[in-house]
Amino acid sequence: MDGKAYKKQRNKVRNAVRRHVRKQQNNVALEVKSNPKKFWAYVNSRTKTKDKIGELEIIAENGQQKLAVSDQDKAEALNGFFSSVFTQETDDEFEEMVLHKAILQPMDDIEISLEEVKEKLKKINVNKSSGPDGIHPRILYELRDELAYPLVKMFNLSIRSEELPRDWRSANITAVYKKGKKSAVNNYRPISLTCILCKVMETIIRDKIMKYFMDNGLFTDRQFGFLKGRSTVVQLLQILDHWTELLEAGGRIDVIYTDLEKAFDKVPHRRLLSKLRTYGIHDNAINWIKAFVTNRIQRVKINDSMSDWEEVLSGIPQGSVLGPLLFIIYINDLVDQCENGANIYLFADDAKIYKQVSKLEDKIVLQQCVDSFMEWTERWLVKVNVNKCKVMSFYNRTNLNVKAETTYMMGPSQLEAVDNMKDLGVTFDVNLKFTDHVNDKVNKAYGMLGIIKRNFRSMSRNCLVMLYKSMVRSHLEYANNVWNPIKKATLKISKKYKKDSPK
């Protein structure tokens, strides 16, 4: 083949490759809203670093520190840590919760219908991974009409017999990095990959329990996590309105930000079931939930390596459908325990307690509420991470009492006072200027633009706009009705960003 013919064939191959890449990138961009998992899988496939979890620091049998290098050693190290945080609940008697609300509509026993199963199978996300049983959601979706009837029989038999298949009580754990040192095992969160069939049944039971709680008004109006119509933005707006009103009245606002350590993993099962009985959940639902949360086993998966199975002694599976509802039921009475002269707001396990402070007595009342918070955690075996709990004071610069001491104790430890705090994704400062928040979000937007520019060079303009709206604007516009309007000086931060954004 002469040079001319070679160049001709080379150009044909190069053009074919470019067309393929362009088509691939356009498909990823167009599905970024419906299937963000595909977007990040594509981005990760183009990075040089393939291991999501690097070397981990562990303690050897001789007490010396060493590094877990292989995937098998990493999986064993993470599984050992996840198992070490479980609550060891004794058989001793404990004081049960007292319900202060009347049950207007008692809960019926649970019976699953054919229509309910068909409806849930129609809504299965086929992009999810299969669970320990190896059944992929695509199979359940495509064969939903054929499988609905036998699944109804199996679900109702599971409820009547108060038993679950072994695979339904098994979970493959994916370790998700949170923040901090990446080599520390305590900076990873376990997410359970459970069977899709079990999730379908969980969804139906969750809907029935949720309806019962909503019909009877059993949820506190201070809980905003995992409840329809109660988002992070709704809570922040409600709190900010109250704070603004209090600051205009004078004084300052002291806010205690709390942190519950491994809250989902530490929920003790006996106490959880006792609260379900107190709230009037039907016995057959409680017995099924008992079978669901107890006698579970888990293992950690890293790439193709699996750790040994470990018994789950406490907690609610993170990644399950029913788990979030069970957790907010468990923590629901915390508001009644702490709200005595102060205000408390919850978003799942994130709690903040605040009060307007204009005299010494106000500080004493707020401290008493913090003490009540600690008493609740001790009674219900929930551990507080005191090192991550902070106190922050909001004030108006014209106020003469802003320099008053802000000393609060949580148990034997004094809480650290801070000048800014990230609250449900929004960074608050003592003067409510939100300058730090704007800086953070602009930097995040630049980071996302960099990811798009590095990985999507061949896509069309329409696809670029789609990616921009989904991956960049979503960061800039999150909770904008909380921190916006802002001062003109702050707008200068985003001038350069506006030049780089697609029209």
Side-chain angles (χ1 to χ4, degrees):
M1 181 183 294
D2 58 16
K4 197 171 189 179
Y6 166 77
K7 290 181 180 179
K8 184 176 181 180
Q9 293 300 320
R10 180 198 63 188
N11 292 340
K12 286 177 66 176
V13 172
R14 181 185 296 168
N15 291 334
V17 170
R18 286 176 177 173
R19 285 195 300 271
H20 173 74
V21 171
R22 186 181 299 111
K23 183 179 179 181
Q24 182 185 28
Q25 293 186 353
N26 286 340
N27 290 337
V28 171
L30 291 174
E31 295 182 32
V32 66
K33 282 189 176 181
S34 59
N35 189 11
K37 182 179 178 181
K38 186 175 181 179
F39 169 84
W40 290 112
Y42 178 77
V43 171
N44 292 333
S45 69
R46 295 172 61 85
T47 59
K48 295 181 180 179
T49 303
K50 299 301 180 183
D51 291 334
K52 295 182 179 179
I53 299 177
E55 296 178 346
L56 298 175
E57 297 175 355
I58 58 175
I59 304 298
E61 294 180 356
N62 58 7
Q64 299 294 320
Q65 188 179 79
K66 69 174 187 177
L67 292 178
V69 179
S70 68
D71 288 342
Q72 183 65 40
D73 289 342
K74 295 176 190 175
E76 294 292 352
L78 287 167
N79 201 30
F81 170 72
F82 294 152
S83 301
S84 69
V85 304
F86 293 138
T87 299
Q88 299 287 342
E89 191 176 16
T90 63
D91 294 331
D92 298 340
E93 295 296 324
F94 57 89
E95 183 182 353
E96 296 193 355
M97 185 190 75
V98 177
L99 184 63
H100 299 289
K101 293 184 179 180
I103 303 298
L104 303 177
Q105 300 181 27
M107 184 177 179
D108 298 327
D109 63 337
I110 292 181
E111 183 76 19
I112 297 176
S113 67
L114 182 63
E115 291 72 21
E116 289 173 325
V117 175
K118 285 184 176 180
E119 185 65 24
K120 297 304 179 183
L121 291 177
K122 286 181 183 178
K123 297 180 179 179
I124 283 183
N125 187 347
V126 297
N127 296 314
K128 295 292 185 179
S129 302
S130 56
D133 58 359
I135 300 177
H136 197 277
R138 170 68 73 177
I139 297 175
L140 299 176
Y141 177 78
E142 298 295 345
L143 299 177
R144 57 189 180 277
D145 294 331
E146 291 78 11
L147 293 175
Y149 181 75
L151 287 180
V152 169
K153 293 293 186 181
M154 184 171 65
F155 290 167
N156 285 320
L157 177 61
S158 176
I159 293 174
R160 288 194 300 271
S161 63
E162 302 168 7
E163 294 182 2
L164 284 79
R166 178 180 175 84
D167 283 344
W168 290 15
R169 292 180 283 107
S170 306
N172 291 332
I173 300 295
T174 299
V176 178
Y177 171 72
K178 297 184 294 183
K179 59 182 178 180
K181 192 177 180 180
K182 285 192 174 183
S183 61
V185 292
N186 59 343
N187 289 329
Y188 290 84
R189 175 185 289 114
I191 302 297
S192 300
L193 183 62
T194 55
C195 298
I196 304 299
L197 282 176
C198 185
K199 287 186 176 182
V200 173
M201 187 173 178
E202 287 180 67
T203 304
I204 298 173
I205 295 176
R206 179 202 61 188
D207 292 346
K208 292 179 181 295
I209 296 177
M210 182 70 77
K211 183 178 184 303
Y212 167 74
F213 264 75
M214 300 304 290
D215 289 345
N216 288 281
L218 295 177
F219 283 122
T220 173
D221 58 359
R222 299 302 176 91
Q223 172 64 267
F224 288 78
F226 308 121
L227 293 173
K228 187 176 181 180
R230 302 191 194 181
S231 64
T232 56
V233 177
V234 172
Q235 187 197 99
L236 292 175
L237 284 173
Q238 188 170 326
I239 290 177
L240 191 60
D241 284 345
H242 193 205
W243 287 355
T244 304
E245 180 182 345
L246 293 177
L247 289 174
E248 289 177 349
R252 71 170 192 265
I253 303 169
D254 286 354
V255 185
I256 311 295
Y257 289 94
T258 68
D259 184 88
L260 300 181
E261 184 178 289
K262 309 293 181 184
F264 275 72
D265 298 322
K266 288 184 174 292
V267 172
H269 295 151
R270 288 179 61 236
R271 284 166 169 76
L272 169 65
L273 297 173
S274 75
K275 287 194 175 186
L276 296 179
R277 284 191 293 270
T278 301
Y279 281 116
I281 301 295
H282 198 279
D283 287 343
N284 75 334
I286 293 177
N287 293 333
W288 189 89
I289 292 172
K290 179 180 179 181
F292 172 73
V293 299
T294 58
N295 299 319
R296 299 186 67 90
I297 55 176
Q298 67 180 31
R299 63 182 179 181
V300 173
K301 178 180 180 181
I302 297 180
N303 297 324
D304 295 326
S305 299
M306 296 279 194
S307 69
D308 294 332
W309 290 103
E310 289 284 350
E311 185 180 358
V312 178
L313 303 178
S314 68
I316 300 166
Q318 297 190 54
S320 64
V321 175
L322 195 56
L325 174 61
L326 295 179
F327 182 81
I328 63 174
I329 291 175
Y330 189 76
I331 205 173
N332 192 54
D333 64 308
L334 175 60
V335 173
D336 296 331
Q337 175 81 8
C338 300
E339 196 171 48
N340 185 17
N343 296 275
I344 179 172
Y345 278 81
L346 304 173
F347 192 91
D349 60 332
D350 291 328
K352 46 184 169 281
I353 311 169
Y354 69 88
K355 182 173 177 57
Q356 181 186 27
V357 176
S358 55
K359 53 184 181 297
L360 179 61
E361 288 76 9
D362 295 329
K363 284 188 59 180
I364 296 175
V365 171
L366 183 55
Q367 179 63 62
Q368 290 173 346
C369 291
V370 175
D371 295 339
S372 298
F373 173 85
M374 294 297 293
E375 291 173 4
W376 184 92
T377 59
E378 292 174 2
R379 175 183 174 187
W380 297 106
L381 303 184
V382 179
K383 188 175 180 181
V384 181
N385 191 340
V386 179
N387 292 331
K388 292 185 178 180
C389 297
K390 310 293 182 184
V391 57
M392 186 172 174
S393 294
F394 297 92
Y395 56 85
N396 191 320
R397 284 191 296 179
T398 60
N399 195 312
L400 299 179
N401 298 321
V402 296
K403 294 184 179 180
E405 186 179 1
T406 57
T407 303
Y408 293 94
M409 305 296 294
M410 187 165 279
S413 303
Q414 180 177 326
L415 292 177
E416 178 187 358
V418 295
D419 293 330
N420 57 70
M421 190 75 185
K422 180 170 282 191
D423 186 0
L424 301 181
V426 177
T427 304
F428 285 77
D429 57 79
V430 293
N431 296 316
L432 296 179
K433 291 182 177 180
F434 299 106
T435 304
D436 294 334
H437 176 78
V438 174
N439 282 326
D440 178 61
K441 291 305 175 183
V442 169
N443 291 334
K444 185 69 174 180
Y446 274 123
M448 293 307 305
L449 280 174
I451 290 175
I452 293 173
K453 289 180 179 180
R454 287 192 302 271
N455 296 281
F456 296 83
R457 294 180 176 272
S458 304
M459 62 181 168
S460 65
R461 183 178 181 83
N462 289 337
C463 292
L464 173 61
V465 172
M466 176 71 75
L467 279 178
Y468 170 79
K469 289 180 178 179
S470 300
M471 310 306 297
V472 181
R473 279 186 60 177
S474 57
H475 290 286
L476 293 172
E477 296 179 354
Y478 170 73
N480 61 345
N481 44 3
V482 174
W483 53 266
N484 193 30
I486 55 179
K487 293 184 176 181
K488 289 184 178 181
T490 312
L491 294 176
K492 295 179 181 179
I493 299 173
S494 59
K495 278 187 177 180
K496 183 180 177 182
Y497 163 76
K498 288 182 179 180
K499 296 179 182 177
D500 295 340
S501 62
K503 303 300 181 185

